[in-house]
Amino acid sequence: MTRRIVRTIVQTAIAAVFTLIVVFFLDRNFRVLPHALHEYLPSHHTGFVITDITIKKCSSINVFSSCKLDPAVWFRIDKDLYLRKGLLSSAYLHIQRKRESELTPEDRVIIDITVGRRNPATAEAKTSGGGKGGDDNDDNNNEPWEARPGGIWVKRSNRRGVSDSKKAVTGIDVLFGDDAVEARPGWAITGTPLLLETGSSIPVPQLTVRRGPPPPEVPKPVPRIQDNGRFKIMQLADLHLNTGVGKCRDALPVDWNGGNCEADKRTLDFVARILEDEKPNLVVLSGDQVNADLAPDAQTAIFKYAQLLIEHKVPYVSIFGNHDDEHTMSRPAQMEIIESLPYSLSTAGPPDIDGVGNYYIEILARGSSGHSAITVYLLDSHSYSPDERRYKGYDWIKQSQIDWFRNTAQSLKKAHKEYTHHHMNVAFIHIPLPEYTLPNLTLVGAWREPSTAPAFNSGFYNALVEEGILMVSCGHDHVNEYCGLSHKDDGTPALWMCHAGAAGFAGYAGYGGFHRKIRIFDFDMNGARITTWKRVEWGDDVNKKIDELIIVDAGKVVAPVQE
């Protein structure tokens, strides 16, 4: 009896194992198990896979025309492919996407995508000498290319496991312009613009694609004083990058490149040269990175500077200017993109105070120390006056921001005292403070245009001085490139207030022969010294440090040395 029971148990176990093997084999090829069970099966990535793509056009003069497809089936990428500049038409890219666990046997996952006028199979046949193209061992090459609007060609498969492959398309987006670049890891532009009749005045839409699982998140860099005790910050003010190449304004010399001056290329070439010359440890983007209504797709503009900084492996922080969200993407939406990019240390800051991008970063001491050596404060100076009748011009730092700054500075003081050298505090904003216009400032560098500081003084200058900020630097006034020293009531130095000049060629610069500038701040922690200078894009001084100036020595604000 016992042997019979044992034999039965063994036979049952064998049958169960055999059944599981058969079910697993069938499920791998035909998905016979319920979708719920797949949620617990291992997969190479989470998130969505793309099963189809199309373009939906609509007419602005036909009230019955719609650019929307069934939202239960299609997800619309909310970017008008004509950038809202189409005379009579708009067009939007739509995708179908599903989680792997929701796929049915009928769902076909996009495993390849390209853009062109002709069926890619023709080129594949030529490449492989008339064969099917690519790797003959890859069964997915047997899948036909399917045409979609706009010159899109897709290859789809419903083979088991295809959604887990590195070929599976898991993300699709649109950027604009022949000069568009990708800054997101794992993404790549297809290379040929979508085939739409956009006209020469509208930057061409470019399809950008992510394949396979999202790459692992890139760890955020930790800024640290170098072993020689030095740390260098490059301030990029008013890049004014466009959607498309953009046109230069007030550019010198006037016959540059035969008069064909593409703003973004010249701007980014300038930035790249100074990055290579100066080798900064941190870049501060102090606002107006995006060129208002000439950059209707802010994401395209953001990726241009981000890709350059990522390529040079330089950590960066950014704040907004008055043009960044003008006629384009909102500040919260832009900051969400910026926060996610490699080497970006930018954050939106506390949600309960005014503005987006009120935050600070700590520059750690050399070696393996966990102590802060430099604190960099960044604040949103907003855009235009909320009360134009009483205070014309530009907005100001609000009381909630000042309270946050004071509370933060006070809370950090105890930890900063643990640093065995002089700890230093600096700040960056976009719009200058009213105190930039004080009549008794000691100026070093060029003042070329009247300051556009806000007409209302909210008292942020006093908070900076009282909390021990040594220097604040702004942008906004493109051709002002001076540092101004304010004084306390007893005549001693109080605070250096600097202008960076402007680096971008799509912004104005037509005052007194101004050449685009980039400002550098060099921190020498051995002597608790800050030295600043500027670099110029063109002219006889391109290899020189312009207006080199010591603004802090032994941890204290100092006046310029009299020559």
Side-chain angles (χ1 to χ4, degrees):
M1 180 67 68
T2 303
R3 290 181 180 178
R4 187 180 301 171
I5 294 174
V6 171
R7 191 183 303 117
T8 301
I9 293 174
V10 171
Q11 291 173 344
T12 303
I14 293 173
V17 170
F18 178 79
T19 302
L20 287 173
I21 292 174
V22 171
V23 171
F24 178 79
F25 175 80
L26 291 172
D27 182 72
R28 188 180 71 173
N29 291 277
F30 305 108
R31 278 193 175 272
V32 298
L33 292 174
H35 297 322
L37 293 180
H38 286 282
E39 296 180 5
Y40 301 97
L41 293 176
S43 64
H44 297 158
H45 62 88
T46 58
F48 292 98
V49 290
I50 311 301
T51 58
D52 207 350
I53 182 172
T54 193
I55 292 174
K56 182 68 169 69
K57 292 184 179 181
C58 56
S59 170
S60 58
I61 59 175
N62 182 353
V63 295
F64 299 104
S65 177
S66 173
C67 275
K68 293 184 178 180
L69 296 174
D70 183 357
V73 178
W74 295 92
F75 172 82
R76 189 174 89 167
I77 297 173
D78 206 18
K79 295 182 179 182
D80 181 4
L81 300 180
Y82 295 108
L83 290 171
R84 301 187 298 277
K85 296 180 180 180
L87 183 61
L88 300 174
S89 300
S90 294
Y92 288 86
L93 198 68
H94 290 72
I95 60 174
Q96 288 184 12
R97 59 183 188 177
K98 283 190 174 182
R99 297 189 183 277
E100 189 208 6
S101 59
E102 298 171 345
L103 293 172
T104 69
E106 293 75 28
D107 287 321
R108 299 170 63 82
V109 175
I110 296 179
I111 55 172
D112 207 353
I113 185 168
T114 189
V115 178
R117 296 189 181 279
R118 300 180 64 185
N119 190 326
T122 305
E124 289 177 352
K126 290 181 179 179
T127 302
S128 60
K132 63 185 179 181
D135 184 355
D136 289 342
N137 294 322
D138 187 353
D139 291 338
N140 292 329
N141 283 318
N142 292 322
E143 303 293 347
W145 286 99
E146 305 172 32
R148 298 292 184 268
I152 298 173
W153 295 87
V154 296
K155 187 179 285 189
R156 301 191 298 162
S157 174
N158 62 353
R159 292 182 62 248
R160 177 68 179 96
V162 70
S163 61
D164 289 334
S165 77
K166 293 181 179 179
K167 289 188 173 182
V169 173
T170 55
I172 293 178
D173 202 352
V174 184
L175 300 173
F176 294 86
D178 291 320
D179 63 334
V181 294
E182 256 295 355
R184 294 170 291 188
W187 288 77
I189 295 174
T190 55
T192 300
L194 294 174
L195 303 181
L196 299 173
E197 295 179 0
T198 56
S200 60
S201 63
I202 303 176
V204 294
Q206 302 258 23
L207 206 63
T208 179
V209 175
R210 185 184 66 201
R211 300 173 188 272
E217 186 174 343
V218 178
K220 296 293 185 182
V222 179
R224 184 178 293 277
I225 305 298
Q226 298 179 99
D227 290 340
N228 63 1
R230 308 294 283 271
F231 192 88
K232 188 181 288 185
I233 294 177
M234 173 191 290
Q235 181 184 357
L236 298 178
D238 300 85
L239 292 176
H240 282 266
L241 296 171
N242 301 273
T243 303
V245 297
K247 294 182 180 180
C248 294
R249 293 179 60 185
D250 308 320
L252 297 174
V254 293
D255 59 349
W256 176 272
N257 194 30
N260 181 27
C261 183
E262 295 179 342
D264 287 9
K265 183 180 187 305
R266 192 166 174 186
T267 298
L268 295 169
D269 285 348
F270 176 33
V271 174
R273 176 168 65 84
I274 304 305
L275 283 171
E276 291 158 8
D277 285 355
E278 296 287 352
K279 295 178 173 54
N281 305 107
L282 178 72
V283 167
V284 174
L285 297 128
S286 58
D288 281 1
Q289 288 78 245
V290 176
N291 194 24
D293 56 345
L294 296 178
D297 184 58
Q299 186 180 23
T300 295
I302 290 168
F303 283 0
K304 291 182 185 182
Y305 74 73
Q307 191 272 342
L308 181 61
L309 298 175
I310 293 166
E311 178 184 333
H312 285 80
K313 300 181 179 180
V314 183
Y316 56 97
V317 290
S318 61
I319 50 179
F320 294 116
N322 52 293
H323 289 307
D324 283 293
D325 59 344
E326 197 173 28
H327 309 296
T328 185
M329 186 182 292
S330 70
R331 294 187 184 211
Q334 288 188 42
M335 186 58 83
E336 185 176 359
I337 292 172
I338 297 166
E339 286 177 336
S340 69
L341 296 175
Y343 291 93
S344 172
L345 301 177
S346 308
T347 64
D352 56 343
I353 67 174
D354 291 283
V356 177
N358 301 292
Y359 60 107
Y360 69 94
I361 65 167
E362 300 279 34
I363 313 301
L364 299 185
R366 74 184 86 183
S368 59
S369 172
H371 294 302
S372 168
I374 305 167
T375 301
V376 180
Y377 292 94
L378 301 114
L379 289 96
D380 184 358
S381 55
H382 313 292
S383 297
Y384 303 99
S385 172
D387 189 352
E388 186 67 25
R389 291 180 60 186
R390 295 177 62 192
Y391 306 106
K392 294 185 180 300
Y394 292 93
D395 208 345
W396 48 87
I397 305 291
K398 302 300 172 58
Q399 189 61 48
S400 65
Q401 296 171 276
I402 298 173
D403 293 342
W404 167 83
F405 165 73
R406 284 188 181 276
N407 292 336
T408 301
Q410 290 289 334
S411 68
L412 294 174
K413 283 185 176 180
K414 181 179 178 181
H416 291 168
K417 288 180 180 179
E418 296 176 359
Y419 179 53
T420 55
H421 296 66
H422 288 286
H423 180 276
M424 294 195 278
N425 299 300
V426 297
F428 291 89
I429 53 179
H430 178 70
I431 298 173
L433 301 173
E435 283 74 14
Y436 272 74
T437 66
L438 288 174
N440 62 341
L441 295 181
T442 302
L443 297 185
V444 178
W447 178 92
R448 288 189 175 88
E449 64 173 307
S451 174
T452 53
F456 176 77
N457 193 329
S458 63
F460 186 49
Y461 169 87
N462 294 333
L464 291 172
V465 174
E466 291 165 10
E467 297 303 333
I469 300 297
L470 304 170
M471 174 278 298
V472 61
S473 192
C474 72
H476 192 55
D477 295 344
H478 292 190
V479 301
N480 284 337
E481 48 173 304
Y482 63 84
C483 285
L485 175 63
S486 64
H487 302 83
K488 299 178 182 178
D489 292 340
D490 61 4
T492 58
L495 177 70
W496 277 103
M497 296 177 287
C498 293
H499 271 287
F505 278 84
Y508 74 87
Y511 289 73
F514 172 77
H515 300 299
R516 267 68 177 192
K517 302 290 196 312
I518 290 173
R519 183 172 285 281
I520 305 294
F521 295 96
D522 182 59
F523 294 74
D524 183 353
M525 304 310 294
N526 301 300
R529 184 179 299 113
I530 303 176
T531 306
T532 186
W533 61 85
K534 295 163 294 185
R535 297 294 304 273
V536 67
E537 192 269 345
W538 183 82
D540 296 333
D541 297 328
V542 290
N543 295 316
K544 298 178 181 178
K545 296 179 179 180
I546 300 172
D547 294 329
E548 187 172 4
L549 171 70
I550 297 174
I551 58 176
V552 174
D553 200 12
K556 295 182 179 180
V557 179
V558 295
V561 176
Q562 299 295 325
E563 297 183 359

PDB file of all heavy atoms in Angstrom, residues 3 31 63 88 122 146 168 195 204 285 336 366 397 422 467 484-485 505 512 521 528:
ATOM      1  N   ARG A   3       3.992   1.518  -1.050  1.00  0.00           N
ATOM      2  CA  ARG A   3       4.659   1.679  -2.337  1.00  0.00           C
ATOM      3  C   ARG A   3       3.711   2.262  -3.379  1.00  0.00           C
ATOM      4  O   ARG A   3       4.098   3.058  -4.227  1.00  0.00           O
ATOM      5  CB  ARG A   3       5.182   0.343  -2.809  1.00  0.00           C
ATOM      6  CG  ARG A   3       6.378  -0.174  -1.979  1.00  0.00           C
ATOM      7  CD  ARG A   3       6.841  -1.507  -2.536  1.00  0.00           C
ATOM      8  NE  ARG A   3       7.962  -2.001  -1.750  1.00  0.00           N
ATOM      9  CZ  ARG A   3       8.574  -3.174  -1.964  1.00  0.00           C
ATOM     10  NH1 ARG A   3       8.108  -3.958  -2.961  1.00  0.00           N
ATOM     11  NH2 ARG A   3       9.591  -3.560  -1.229  1.00  0.00           N
ATOM     12  N   ARG A  31       0.905  32.892 -25.287  1.00  0.00           N
ATOM     13  CA  ARG A  31       0.289  33.616 -24.165  1.00  0.00           C
ATOM     14  C   ARG A  31      -1.054  33.012 -23.761  1.00  0.00           C
ATOM     15  O   ARG A  31      -2.111  33.615 -23.926  1.00  0.00           O
ATOM     16  CB  ARG A  31       0.092  35.093 -24.507  1.00  0.00           C
ATOM     17  CG  ARG A  31       1.366  35.907 -24.313  1.00  0.00           C
ATOM     18  CD  ARG A  31       1.069  37.397 -24.353  1.00  0.00           C
ATOM     19  NE  ARG A  31       2.266  38.170 -24.061  1.00  0.00           N
ATOM     20  CZ  ARG A  31       2.656  38.519 -22.845  1.00  0.00           C
ATOM     21  NH1 ARG A  31       1.942  38.154 -21.804  1.00  0.00           N
ATOM     22  NH2 ARG A  31       3.748  39.218 -22.653  1.00  0.00           N
ATOM     23  N   VAL A  63     -14.884  73.139 -38.918  1.00  0.00           N
ATOM     24  CA  VAL A  63     -15.301  72.983 -37.521  1.00  0.00           C
ATOM     25  C   VAL A  63     -15.508  71.518 -37.155  1.00  0.00           C
ATOM     26  O   VAL A  63     -15.536  71.168 -35.966  1.00  0.00           O
ATOM     27  CB  VAL A  63     -16.590  73.787 -37.240  1.00  0.00           C
ATOM     28  CG1 VAL A  63     -16.334  75.269 -37.383  1.00  0.00           C
ATOM     29  CG2 VAL A  63     -17.731  73.330 -38.153  1.00  0.00           C
ATOM     30  N   LEU A  88      -3.326  76.737 -42.232  1.00  0.00           N
ATOM     31  CA  LEU A  88      -4.683  76.218 -42.097  1.00  0.00           C
ATOM     32  C   LEU A  88      -4.738  74.880 -41.362  1.00  0.00           C
ATOM     33  O   LEU A  88      -5.831  74.376 -41.105  1.00  0.00           O
ATOM     34  CB  LEU A  88      -5.320  76.053 -43.485  1.00  0.00           C
ATOM     35  CG  LEU A  88      -5.458  77.321 -44.332  1.00  0.00           C
ATOM     36  CD1 LEU A  88      -5.966  76.965 -45.725  1.00  0.00           C
ATOM     37  CD2 LEU A  88      -6.378  78.327 -43.666  1.00  0.00           C
ATOM     38  N   THR A 122      13.472  47.922 -49.583  1.00  0.00           N
ATOM     39  CA  THR A 122      14.245  48.049 -50.819  1.00  0.00           C
ATOM     40  C   THR A 122      15.725  48.193 -50.511  1.00  0.00           C
ATOM     41  O   THR A 122      16.571  47.522 -51.097  1.00  0.00           O
ATOM     42  CB  THR A 122      13.761  49.268 -51.626  1.00  0.00           C
ATOM     43  OG1 THR A 122      12.358  49.146 -51.854  1.00  0.00           O
ATOM     44  CG2 THR A 122      14.495  49.378 -52.941  1.00  0.00           C
ATOM     45  N   GLU A 146       5.603  48.482 -42.568  1.00  0.00           N
ATOM     46  CA  GLU A 146       4.262  49.018 -42.746  1.00  0.00           C
ATOM     47  C   GLU A 146       4.339  50.537 -42.820  1.00  0.00           C
ATOM     48  O   GLU A 146       5.023  51.174 -42.008  1.00  0.00           O
ATOM     49  CB  GLU A 146       3.359  48.609 -41.578  1.00  0.00           C
ATOM     50  CG  GLU A 146       3.298  47.107 -41.329  1.00  0.00           C
ATOM     51  CD  GLU A 146       2.551  46.780 -40.043  1.00  0.00           C
ATOM     52  OE1 GLU A 146       1.614  47.535 -39.694  1.00  0.00           O
ATOM     53  OE2 GLU A 146       2.912  45.795 -39.380  1.00  0.00           O
ATOM     54  N   ALA A 168      12.556  46.398 -29.016  1.00  0.00           N
ATOM     55  CA  ALA A 168      11.197  46.894 -28.810  1.00  0.00           C
ATOM     56  C   ALA A 168      11.216  48.404 -28.568  1.00  0.00           C
ATOM     57  O   ALA A 168      11.982  48.914 -27.744  1.00  0.00           O
ATOM     58  CB  ALA A 168      10.550  46.188 -27.625  1.00  0.00           C
ATOM     59  N   LEU A 195       7.883  63.665 -43.049  1.00  0.00           N
ATOM     60  CA  LEU A 195       7.580  64.209 -44.372  1.00  0.00           C
ATOM     61  C   LEU A 195       6.245  64.934 -44.336  1.00  0.00           C
ATOM     62  O   LEU A 195       5.189  64.396 -44.674  1.00  0.00           O
ATOM     63  CB  LEU A 195       7.563  63.075 -45.406  1.00  0.00           C
ATOM     64  CG  LEU A 195       8.856  62.252 -45.481  1.00  0.00           C
ATOM     65  CD1 LEU A 195       8.738  61.188 -46.556  1.00  0.00           C
ATOM     66  CD2 LEU A 195      10.059  63.142 -45.746  1.00  0.00           C
ATOM     67  N   VAL A 204      11.541  71.699 -38.999  1.00  0.00           N
ATOM     68  CA  VAL A 204      11.013  70.376 -39.340  1.00  0.00           C
ATOM     69  C   VAL A 204      10.871  69.512 -38.085  1.00  0.00           C
ATOM     70  O   VAL A 204      11.702  69.564 -37.178  1.00  0.00           O
ATOM     71  CB  VAL A 204      11.917  69.667 -40.356  1.00  0.00           C
ATOM     72  CG1 VAL A 204      11.901  70.391 -41.676  1.00  0.00           C
ATOM     73  CG2 VAL A 204      13.356  69.552 -39.827  1.00  0.00           C
ATOM     74  N   LEU A 285      23.301  78.132 -15.212  1.00  0.00           N
ATOM     75  CA  LEU A 285      22.496  78.726 -16.276  1.00  0.00           C
ATOM     76  C   LEU A 285      21.532  79.692 -15.604  1.00  0.00           C
ATOM     77  O   LEU A 285      20.589  79.272 -14.915  1.00  0.00           O
ATOM     78  CB  LEU A 285      21.754  77.638 -17.052  1.00  0.00           C
ATOM     79  CG  LEU A 285      22.684  76.668 -17.779  1.00  0.00           C
ATOM     80  CD1 LEU A 285      22.345  75.229 -17.436  1.00  0.00           C
ATOM     81  CD2 LEU A 285      22.634  76.885 -19.277  1.00  0.00           C
ATOM     82  N   GLU A 336      10.718  69.744 -14.775  1.00  0.00           N
ATOM     83  CA  GLU A 336      10.603  68.287 -14.701  1.00  0.00           C
ATOM     84  C   GLU A 336      11.535  67.617 -15.714  1.00  0.00           C
ATOM     85  O   GLU A 336      12.164  66.592 -15.414  1.00  0.00           O
ATOM     86  CB  GLU A 336       9.153  67.872 -14.953  1.00  0.00           C
ATOM     87  CG  GLU A 336       8.907  66.380 -14.770  1.00  0.00           C
ATOM     88  CD  GLU A 336       7.446  65.994 -14.920  1.00  0.00           C
ATOM     89  OE1 GLU A 336       6.609  66.897 -15.148  1.00  0.00           O
ATOM     90  OE2 GLU A 336       7.128  64.788 -14.823  1.00  0.00           O
ATOM     91  N   ARG A 366      37.341  69.260  -0.102  1.00  0.00           N
ATOM     92  CA  ARG A 366      38.181  68.326  -0.866  1.00  0.00           C
ATOM     93  C   ARG A 366      38.319  66.987  -0.155  1.00  0.00           C
ATOM     94  O   ARG A 366      38.001  66.858   1.025  1.00  0.00           O
ATOM     95  CB  ARG A 366      39.561  68.955  -1.091  1.00  0.00           C
ATOM     96  CG  ARG A 366      40.439  68.993   0.137  1.00  0.00           C
ATOM     97  CD  ARG A 366      41.750  69.717  -0.136  1.00  0.00           C
ATOM     98  NE  ARG A 366      41.607  71.149   0.061  1.00  0.00           N
ATOM     99  CZ  ARG A 366      42.576  72.040  -0.152  1.00  0.00           C
ATOM    100  NH1 ARG A 366      43.740  71.633  -0.626  1.00  0.00           N
ATOM    101  NH2 ARG A 366      42.377  73.317   0.072  1.00  0.00           N
ATOM    102  N   ILE A 397      11.740  89.372  -6.212  1.00  0.00           N
ATOM    103  CA  ILE A 397      11.792  88.250  -5.272  1.00  0.00           C
ATOM    104  C   ILE A 397      10.728  88.465  -4.203  1.00  0.00           C
ATOM    105  O   ILE A 397      10.658  89.531  -3.589  1.00  0.00           O
ATOM    106  CB  ILE A 397      13.195  88.157  -4.611  1.00  0.00           C
ATOM    107  CG1 ILE A 397      14.288  88.059  -5.677  1.00  0.00           C
ATOM    108  CG2 ILE A 397      13.250  86.982  -3.655  1.00  0.00           C
ATOM    109  CD1 ILE A 397      14.326  86.787  -6.452  1.00  0.00           C
ATOM    110  N   HIS A 422      37.375  78.707   5.684  1.00  0.00           N
ATOM    111  CA  HIS A 422      36.288  79.675   5.527  1.00  0.00           C
ATOM    112  C   HIS A 422      35.225  79.096   4.598  1.00  0.00           C
ATOM    113  O   HIS A 422      35.499  78.798   3.436  1.00  0.00           O
ATOM    114  CB  HIS A 422      36.813  80.989   4.932  1.00  0.00           C
ATOM    115  CG  HIS A 422      37.638  81.800   5.868  1.00  0.00           C
ATOM    116  ND1 HIS A 422      37.102  82.520   6.912  1.00  0.00           N
ATOM    117  CD2 HIS A 422      38.981  82.003   5.917  1.00  0.00           C
ATOM    118  CE1 HIS A 422      38.071  83.134   7.565  1.00  0.00           C
ATOM    119  NE2 HIS A 422      39.228  82.842   6.983  1.00  0.00           N
ATOM    120  N   GLU A 467      22.719  87.565   5.821  1.00  0.00           N
ATOM    121  CA  GLU A 467      22.997  86.133   5.920  1.00  0.00           C
ATOM    122  C   GLU A 467      24.382  85.762   5.387  1.00  0.00           C
ATOM    123  O   GLU A 467      24.693  84.593   5.213  1.00  0.00           O
ATOM    124  CB  GLU A 467      21.918  85.335   5.191  1.00  0.00           C
ATOM    125  CG  GLU A 467      20.528  85.496   5.776  1.00  0.00           C
ATOM    126  CD  GLU A 467      20.442  85.122   7.258  1.00  0.00           C
ATOM    127  OE1 GLU A 467      21.253  84.279   7.706  1.00  0.00           O
ATOM    128  OE2 GLU A 467      19.598  85.691   7.958  1.00  0.00           O
ATOM    129  N   GLY A 484      29.526  95.270  -9.400  1.00  0.00           N
ATOM    130  CA  GLY A 484      29.394  96.471  -8.590  1.00  0.00           C
ATOM    131  C   GLY A 484      29.466  96.134  -7.112  1.00  0.00           C
ATOM    132  O   GLY A 484      28.783  95.226  -6.647  1.00  0.00           O
ATOM    133  N   LEU A 485      30.309  96.853  -6.373  1.00  0.00           N
ATOM    134  CA  LEU A 485      30.478  96.627  -4.940  1.00  0.00           C
ATOM    135  C   LEU A 485      29.661  97.641  -4.161  1.00  0.00           C
ATOM    136  O   LEU A 485      29.832  98.859  -4.321  1.00  0.00           O
ATOM    137  CB  LEU A 485      31.956  96.742  -4.559  1.00  0.00           C
ATOM    138  CG  LEU A 485      32.276  96.640  -3.060  1.00  0.00           C
ATOM    139  CD1 LEU A 485      31.886  95.273  -2.518  1.00  0.00           C
ATOM    140  CD2 LEU A 485      33.751  96.938  -2.797  1.00  0.00           C
ATOM    141  N   PHE A 505      23.442  84.465 -29.120  1.00  0.00           N
ATOM    142  CA  PHE A 505      23.411  85.327 -30.290  1.00  0.00           C
ATOM    143  C   PHE A 505      22.005  85.621 -30.796  1.00  0.00           C
ATOM    144  O   PHE A 505      21.853  86.435 -31.714  1.00  0.00           O
ATOM    145  CB  PHE A 505      24.264  84.709 -31.403  1.00  0.00           C
ATOM    146  CG  PHE A 505      25.726  85.006 -31.251  1.00  0.00           C
ATOM    147  CD1 PHE A 505      26.521  84.231 -30.429  1.00  0.00           C
ATOM    148  CD2 PHE A 505      26.296  86.083 -31.895  1.00  0.00           C
ATOM    149  CE1 PHE A 505      27.866  84.511 -30.273  1.00  0.00           C
ATOM    150  CE2 PHE A 505      27.636  86.386 -31.743  1.00  0.00           C
ATOM    151  CZ  PHE A 505      28.430  85.592 -30.924  1.00  0.00           C
ATOM    152  N   GLY A 512      26.870  99.793 -28.162  1.00  0.00           N
ATOM    153  CA  GLY A 512      28.292 100.102 -28.060  1.00  0.00           C
ATOM    154  C   GLY A 512      29.235  99.000 -28.468  1.00  0.00           C
ATOM    155  O   GLY A 512      30.303  98.848 -27.864  1.00  0.00           O
ATOM    156  N   PHE A 521      33.848  82.332 -12.255  1.00  0.00           N
ATOM    157  CA  PHE A 521      34.180  82.561 -10.840  1.00  0.00           C
ATOM    158  C   PHE A 521      35.120  81.448 -10.400  1.00  0.00           C
ATOM    159  O   PHE A 521      34.765  80.270 -10.467  1.00  0.00           O
ATOM    160  CB  PHE A 521      32.926  82.557  -9.970  1.00  0.00           C
ATOM    161  CG  PHE A 521      31.973  83.685 -10.261  1.00  0.00           C
ATOM    162  CD1 PHE A 521      30.899  83.494 -11.120  1.00  0.00           C
ATOM    163  CD2 PHE A 521      32.157  84.930  -9.684  1.00  0.00           C
ATOM    164  CE1 PHE A 521      30.022  84.526 -11.401  1.00  0.00           C
ATOM    165  CE2 PHE A 521      31.278  85.974  -9.956  1.00  0.00           C
ATOM    166  CZ  PHE A 521      30.204  85.777 -10.818  1.00  0.00           C
ATOM    167  N   ALA A 528      40.594  81.205   0.778  1.00  0.00           N
ATOM    168  CA  ALA A 528      39.199  81.657   0.833  1.00  0.00           C
ATOM    169  C   ALA A 528      39.001  82.860  -0.088  1.00  0.00           C
ATOM    170  O   ALA A 528      38.481  83.905   0.306  1.00  0.00           O
ATOM    171  CB  ALA A 528      38.786  81.981   2.265  1.00  0.00           C
TER     172      ALA A 528
END
